[in-house]
Amino acid sequence: MWFRNLRLYRLAQPFTTSPEELHEALQAAAFRPCGSLEPETVGWVPPLGRQATQLAHAAADAILVSARRETRMLPASVINETLAERIETLEAAEGRDIGRREKSTLREQIVHELLPRAFTRSSVTAAVVLPQDDWLLVDTASKARAEELLSLLRKALGSLPVAPPKVGTDPANLMTSWLNGATLPAGLALGDECELKEAGDDAGVVRVKRVDLLSDEIRTHLDVGRRVSRLALVFEDRMRFVLDDELNIRRLGFEDEVLESLDDVDSDDELVQLDARFALLSLEVQRLLPQLVGWFGEAAEPESAAA
């Protein structure tokens, strides 16, 4: 939970909204389940789960929010099969061909009939605001899901100018140089997997796992011009992750040394335990971020996205 896949955004303006004010702002778009004829809904939920009531949770100079999406599962194959059966029945009964417009009307009727009986599936996307450091992190590997959350948050706040961090060194070039033997930054070590891409629009991709990234096998790929697009890294023997060439963090994990400190939480209350976990992981991520952008030379001012 939390901090699994992080898409990084820089806040172009100071985030001055308090957790209490943010909770109030999010209430207007609190999550509600799909109505019988709604294909999907999305809204804010308490990030600490059903037992909590606050839509914004604060700890360790970080603010956590979560958006839930619920979707009715109505496969196109079911609609098409039902439509084909209905067309066949009508054409046989009336002795005529069903036209395109009538087929479209029938499809709409079928969707209207089937939606209330369709199962629902839900997913939650979390985001963390670090006001003191001007960061906003969305816990998803999907750019579309991250943009959806940012749009919801922007609507609640009225304005939220953010953009991915802008760096002076191309991440793919620098990560490739590390596999070519360049010295890694202090505290950073190579993991055991990477993704290598060829140049060009029809670029081939090579993915390797559980290998020595400084081996001759990897060097052969680099010698023919492939560059790193994803690279597994270990930071200070406390966390491991895969970094891609857009500075997105994937499969972030924390070593036992970090997580063992949660054993000291003297409470059986689930909310207390979740709060302690969020505080701990937030502090660890806050230690990582300035180092990460420092490796690539962060530009002084991020390019602001839509407000």
Side-chain angles (χ1 to χ4, degrees):
M1 105 181 247
W2 312 318
F3 304 112
R4 178 63 175 168
N5 298 292
L6 296 180
R7 300 191 73 89
L8 311 183
Y9 297 90
R10 273 301 205 182
L11 294 163
Q13 298 175 0
F15 190 88
T16 58
T17 304
S18 70
E20 295 76 20
E21 292 169 337
L22 184 55
H23 166 77
E24 293 297 327
L26 299 183
Q27 282 189 314
F31 173 79
R32 59 175 180 77
C34 288
S36 61
L37 296 177
E38 288 183 301
E40 63 184 18
T41 58
V42 61
W44 301 103
V45 294
L48 293 193
R50 299 181 185 276
Q51 297 184 37
T53 58
Q54 295 297 302
L55 297 178
H57 178 77
D61 297 323
I63 304 173
L64 178 67
V65 297
S66 292
R68 178 182 294 274
R69 166 180 285 279
E70 184 175 88
T71 305
R72 287 198 174 274
M73 305 303 297
L74 187 54
S77 59
V78 173
I79 298 172
N80 293 335
E81 182 178 347
T82 306
L83 177 62
E85 292 173 354
R86 193 158 301 181
I87 290 172
E88 183 179 356
T89 300
L90 283 172
E91 289 181 338
E94 300 180 7
R96 65 183 181 88
D97 292 336
I98 302 299
R100 180 179 299 178
R101 181 174 298 180
E102 191 171 356
K103 287 180 182 179
S104 178
T105 300
L106 285 172
R107 176 182 289 275
E108 291 177 2
Q109 291 175 353
I110 290 168
V111 171
H112 189 81
E113 293 168 9
L114 295 181
L115 262 181
R117 292 179 281 162
F119 290 107
T120 60
R121 180 179 66 184
S122 64
S123 60
V124 175
T125 304
V128 181
V129 183
L130 303 174
Q132 293 189 1
D133 300 317
D134 295 326
W135 283 105
L136 190 152
L137 319 175
V138 185
D139 194 354
T140 180
S142 165
K143 183 177 180 179
R145 196 59 63 86
E147 292 297 332
E148 178 183 73
L149 185 145
L150 291 174
S151 179
L152 281 174
L153 192 54
R154 189 174 292 118
K155 183 176 180 180
L157 297 175
S159 176
L160 185 67
V162 299
K166 186 178 180 182
V167 293
T169 301
D170 178 52
N173 285 342
L174 184 57
M175 291 191 292
T176 300
S177 76
W178 293 341
L179 296 194
N180 271 317
T183 302
L184 275 75
L188 190 64
L190 295 175
D192 62 358
E193 65 178 278
C194 69
E195 178 182 277
L196 304 167
K197 281 187 179 180
E198 298 173 352
D201 295 335
D202 299 323
V205 178
V206 175
R207 297 182 179 91
V208 295
K209 291 186 177 182
R210 294 183 292 277
V211 300
D212 178 2
L213 297 184
L214 298 179
S215 66
D216 291 341
E217 174 189 354
I218 301 299
R219 180 61 60 85
T220 298
H221 290 297
L222 300 178
D223 287 344
V224 297
R226 294 187 177 99
R227 298 196 312 159
V228 174
S229 53
R230 296 183 186 179
L231 181 63
L233 297 166
V234 180
F235 179 62
E236 295 184 347
D237 292 324
R238 296 178 66 83
M239 63 181 76
R240 59 194 180 280
F241 53 90
V242 174
L243 186 67
D244 72 20
D245 53 8
E246 295 181 344
L247 298 186
N248 298 308
I249 295 172
R250 300 168 183 267
R251 303 208 313 274
L252 175 62
F254 298 87
E255 303 295 351
D256 291 342
E257 177 185 351
V258 176
L259 299 179
E260 283 172 359
S261 62
L262 293 172
D263 296 337
D264 298 331
V265 178
D266 187 19
S267 176
D268 294 328
D269 188 317
E270 182 179 0
L271 292 182
V272 172
Q273 294 177 359
L274 289 174
D275 175 72
R277 184 178 182 86
F278 174 61
L280 172 67
L281 301 189
S282 295
L283 289 171
E284 291 296 323
V285 170
Q286 288 176 66
R287 291 178 61 249
L288 169 65
L289 291 176
Q291 299 297 320
L292 188 152
V293 296
W295 301 333
F296 302 96
E298 185 177 25
E301 299 240 351
E303 292 181 353
S304 176

